[in-house]
Structure formats: structure tokens, C-alpha cells
Amino acid sequence: MSDGDLDVLQRALERERKARRAAEDLLEKKSQELYIANSELRAWSNRLEQLVAERTHEMEVARDQAISASQAKSQFLANMSHELRTPLNAIIGYSEILLEETSDAGHPQYHADLQRIVASGRHLLMLISDILDLSKIEAGQMAVFYEDIDISMMVHEVVETLRPVIEKNRNRIDVQAAPSLGSMRVDITKLRQSIFNLLSNAAKFTENGRITVTAQRAVGQPVDTISFAVQDSGIGIKPEHMRELFVPFKQADASTSRKYGGTGLGLALTARFCRMLGGDISVDSQIGVGSTFTLRLPAQPTDRDPESAHPSLAVAQDGEKDAAQVGTTKSSALDGRSRDREAVLVIDDDPMARDMLSRMLSSEGYEVITADDGEEALRLARDRRPLAITLDVLMPKLDGWAVLAQLQADRDLRDIPVVVVSILSERKKGAALGATAYLQKPVQREQLLGALLTQRTPSIHHVLVVEDDPDCQQLLRRMLEEHGHPSRCAKNGREALSLLAQQIPDLILLDLMMPELDGFSLLDALKADPRWRSIPVIVVTARDLSEDERRRLSQDTEQLLPKGALGRGELLMALRRLSSKRSTGGASNSDVNRRPGKA
Amino acid sequence: MARILIVEDNPMNLDMLSRRLLRAGYQIVSAENGLLGVEAARREQPDLVLMDLSLPEIDGWEATRRIKADPACRHIPIVALTAHALTSDRESALAAGCSDFDTKPVEMARLLTKIKTLLTPR
Ligand SMILES: Nc1ncnc2c1ncn2[C@@H]1O[C@H](COP(=O)(O)OP(=O)(O)OP(=O)(O)O)[C@@H](O)[C@H]1O
Ligand SMILES: [Mg+2]
């Protein structure tokens, strides 16, 4: 090796050494930077953790305060009502004694005045009880006490109590409640009060008219259904007021309280009582013609153990003890098919959040099913097909987004409305993943109920059911009513036409095979009339259709539902699809109403 | 002539009830707290007891249990009276051994019917 070669080698070596040193320096620098970045990150993460902890703590405090405030409120109301009742008790009692003693001693001049004192006292007492009842229901502390009662006797008792009020407005009353109706097992106080409220409304809003009270038994499985209908020929209720009837303190319009008095509590309480008893209430009314309110209740409580303490009471007392399963106020539904029509699935890993949501829901009469993780939630959703779901996002294992995605991917579950309830503010993500509403914690009761209510196919009010088979008619009607759609029925096309002439429905459910005028001919008639042309029609048929008929129906109708597969799910979905279509600009019948010439 | 024991701490309520029951033809004995109520039941052997539920000393539920635990008094029917119309009150009153339950302010006609039914030997 020559000197020159050595030189070259040495220089190369030197260069390499330099390069390595430079690389090492760089590495050193980088790793130092990394170290700094890392510790900064760690500091940030600590800070974040601390922030989260603080925020969580604040939220816990706020939540505890909210819970104890609400408990304090109901305790206050309970005490208050006791304090108010005691003096009222004396006022009523002594005026009654005076009334008895003065009429014995012959002082008729005091009679009327004393009677007014007694009546006003009893009225005040009733108002106090109503307010107390409502606050108890809202605090989840209302218990149900079942006993066997004679249906006919109870109805006649209520009618007798109210007879003076009914006759004051010169109304005639007709009672159809035969002793052969037999007995039912129910909380008599709540049922009596419900019928009392309906009948006193009928009496109040009707003059020189006719009021009919009808009790009926419908044989069914697993138990019979008892219905109580109170029909009047009074002032009627405007369609736009129908939905607010059951909201506490709401009256149809401000002039009502001026003209008729009252506080707007009667129907709110009635609806809640009714749901606690496993039943429902529906209204059918036409302005100027009259109103019919109908209660439907199971003849027996059908829960496994409905007579045990009220479950929501247990929740209220035990707090988070029952972590996993059911908290329900609803003793039952009418039959197996519609078992979960009011059930809401609450998914949240935090027992306190679960408890809060459950209470808000069950005080509204919803049945509540709870799940504390995503997998359990999906299983329950598949098993129970709830009416709606509330979904927390931050959960261990399967988080809320993943649950939502799986719900959306499942054909059977995709139509269940999901209200996301989270501390995160990711409304957009929620909407993109298919959530129907997004609420940020802490949730207000009104928000939650509002979000659930808007799920109820809001733009369809009146449905016309055209069906000749009475059983099928009944079934459709019930399913519609369960979802808040009052309906009218026609036995055939001809009857349908005469009903259509009176009122334009938002939807027609149509059977094809009927006597007199069949479904196809009715469709032709609808097409021929500009007022009726845009009414959506859903065909419900048991018949096998030819290719031709199918084509024709697909042009003229919204959807075809085979009767055999007719369940509330299908119908509900069809309704929901329809109403979302309408709210995004589909034809609306109110337009048609306003401009009858055009279509 | 049937004798009724009224256990009630509020003097006005006691006054009202006894006056109205006297007018209806009953004899009245009274006691103003739970303990005195139990004693009076033993001593007076009334045909029926009207028992307020919220009472000083021992409450109406406890007084009812004690009366029902005494073989000498067990047969006496007890009607619970309370100002709260809570169904839970009613349940627990029946559980304590009351034969019936009514709310205050009493509706005299209804209460008299209940009393009459309970006093009719079966
Ligand atoms: N049979 C009816 N006919 C017409 N309108 C009715 C009828 N029943 C109820 N309404 C309307 O619904 C509203 C709410 O009824 P609700 O019984 O809840 O309250 P209210 O009768 O006004 O007051 P309260 O029952 O507390 O004394 C009424 O104010 C009235 O506008
Ligand atoms: Mg009313």
C-alpha cells in the first residue's frame, strides 16, 4: 500500500468519523428535543387528566345537588300539602257540621252559603292533591295499589258524583256499563280519578248536549282489555291543540282558563295514571262536533310481580344499587305483541347517569331498560326492540359510536331512533353516524322528552283506515293509536268517500278486497279528485297480487304491506318513513286544504 | 249502642269526628296519642277504633299492631284515618292490621258506611 493510498484511506476514515459525529450530534439533539416534547406532552396530559378530574368532580357535585334538590322539592311539596290540608280539613269539616246542624234546626237561609263553602273547600283540596300527585309521579314516588273492583259499579259511582255538574250545563248523560262486565284488578283510586277527570271535562266543555260513558271488555291474551270511553257533543278540540292536551298546565288556549276555569292538570294526570296502570289514552275530536276520550287498561296487571313495591320507588331509594337491569313504572302492556311499545333502552356505563335518565323517562310512563356496556346494549336492542334508545359515547370496551354503527348496520334495528347523550360536543359526528338527536350532558328533562317525542312521526295526525274485517280494523287502529295517530275507520270504499268528504286525512291505510267499493276503485276515485290526489296511501292486503296490479299500486300508493307480516314495527317504520319524507318537503295535505283547486 | 274509640291528636279533628258520630247515634271514647289509644282499647273494649296514623308517642301503625297483638282486643276492627292520601300509607295500614282505610277530611256518608259494614256481625 502506497503512502498516497494510506492518505486517501485516512481521509475517508476521517470523513466518516466526522459524519458519524455529526449524526450522533443530530441524534443527541433530536432525542433531547424528543425528551422535551415528551415531558411537555406528559405535563399536558397530566394537566388534562387533572382538568378531567376536576370537571368530573364538578359534574358529580352538580348532579348530586340536582338530585337532592329534586328530592327536597318533592319532600317540600309533600310537607306543604300536609300543612295546607290540616286547616282545610277543619274548614270543610266544620262547615259540613254547620250544614247538618242548621238544616236540622231549620235555618235554610244558611244552607246555600254553607254548601258553597264546602264545595270550594273540596275543590281546593282536590287541586292540592293533583299538584302533589304530579310532583310525586315526577319524583318517581307514586305507588300503584291493585285490588279487584266491580267495573260497572265504579263507573256508576263516578257518574253519580258528577251528575250535578253534568246537569248544570243542561246535558243529558247516558251510561253504558252493564254489571255483566264483571271485575278487573286495578288501582281504583287512579282509575276513578281518571274517569272523573274525563267526565268532568266533558261536562265542562259541553252545553245542552249529550254525554255518553261506555265501558267495554275486549277478550284478549294474556288478559282482557277494559276500555272506558267518554264521549261528548261539546266544543271539540282543534287539531293543533291535540298534542299538548296531556302536558301539565296546558289548556287548549288562553281563553279557556278565562272562560271555563281549571288549571290544565286533569288530563296530564289522567295520562300518567293510565300509563302507570299499563294502559293508554286516546282522543278523537272534531271542533264543534264533540270529543271522545278513551282509556284502555289491562283487566289484570300482567307483570311478573306488579304488586311488589313500585320499581321506580326502589330505584329512588336504592340509588345505584341495581346496576344492570330494569327500572319500570309501567306494569304491563295490553298483550305480548306490543310488549315494548313504550320501552326505551338507556345505554350508559355511569350508574348515576343511568339512574337519572331512567327516572326522567319512567316518570313519563316509559318502560326503561338499561345496559351498562355496548355489547349488552346490542343484545338488549335485538331482544326487546325498544321504541327508542339513549346512547352514551364514552364507554369502556365498545364505545357509543361503535354501538351506533352496529345498530345502523342491522336491518332490524336501524329504524329505532337513537338519541346520543354525551359530554362530548360532537353533534355532527352523531348526525353523520345516523343518530336521530344529540344531547349534551347534563341533559334537561324537557330536552330528553322532546327528543323522544319528535320521534313520533309528528306530521301525521289523522289516519283513515279503510278495512272491512273488524278484527283487522281494530288491530290497525290500536297500532296507530299507540303511536299517537288518531284514526277513523270505514268499512268499504263508499264509507271512506263519505268520510273523506268531511275531513281530509293525512294518510289512508287501505285494504284491497272490500264489499261495495273495493280498494282499486277507491284509488281511482282518489286520483280523480284534486283534493284527495295527494293523500298518501299505504295498502294493507292479504291478497297475492298480479304483476299488473303490483305495477299499478306502486304508482298510486306509498307502500304495500302484506297483512300476514303486519306488525307494529312495519307499520311504524312505514309511518316514520312517510313523515320524514313529508317534513323534507313532500306533499302536505294542509296545502291541499288551503288551495283546494290546485294539485 | 255501638261504642267507637277515636285516637286522634288534633283537637279540632277529634271534636268534629265525635260530634258527627254522636249525631249518627254512636257512643264515643277518645285518646290523644298512640300509647293512650292502646290503653283505651284494652280498658274500654270499644266495638270499633278510628285510628289517626300520625300520632305522638307511638304512631297509628304501631298502636294498631299492639292492639292486634293483644288477644283481648284482636277482634276489634280498626279503621285508619290519614290526611295523606298516599296509597303506600294505605298499604302499610292494612299490613299493620287495619280493616279499612279512609282519608281526611272524611266524607261522612262514606265513613258511616264503612263503620256500619264493619259493625255488622258476619
Ligand atoms: N271534552 C273536552 N272538550 C273540549 N276540550 C277539552 C275537553 N277535554 C279537555 N279539553 C281541553 O283540554 C284542556 C286540558 O284539559 P285538562 O282536564 O287537562 O285541564 P282543565 O280541565 O282545563 O283543568 P283541570 O282539569 O285541571 O281543572 C282543557 O283546558 C280544554 O281546552
Ligand atoms: Mg279537566
Side-chain angles (χ1 to χ4, degrees), chain B residues 25 61 64 120:
Chain B
W61 289 282
T64 300
T120 318

Side-chain angles (χ1 to χ4, degrees), chain B residues 35-81:
Chain B
L35 279 178
L36 293 175
V38 178
E39 260 171 45
R42 291 197 178 117
R43 189 182 60 238
E44 305 281 342
Q45 289 288 311
D47 300 291
L48 183 138
V49 180
L50 292 179
M51 177 77 74
D52 183 23
L53 286 179
S54 44
L55 288 169
E57 302 292 335
I58 60 171
D59 64 25
W61 289 282
E62 181 55 30
T64 300
R65 272 189 287 273
R66 292 195 192 174
I67 293 172
K68 288 292 165 182
D70 185 338
C73 300
R74 181 170 300 160
H75 63 281
I76 306 174
I78 301 179
V79 177
L81 288 180

Side-chain angles (χ1 to χ4, degrees), chain A residues 97 292 338 355:
Chain A
I97 289 179
T292 306
S338 53
D355 184 42

Side-chain angles (χ1 to χ4, degrees), chain A residues 85 89 94 100 104 136 145, chain B residues 15 20 23 83 86 91 105:
Chain A
R85 272 164 198 261
N89 209 353
Y94 278 108
E100 289 160 15
D104 278 10
K136 276 219 295 289
F145 183 76
Chain B
D15 177 51
R20 302 177 87 179
R23 285 171 60 80
L86 299 190
E91 276 170 84

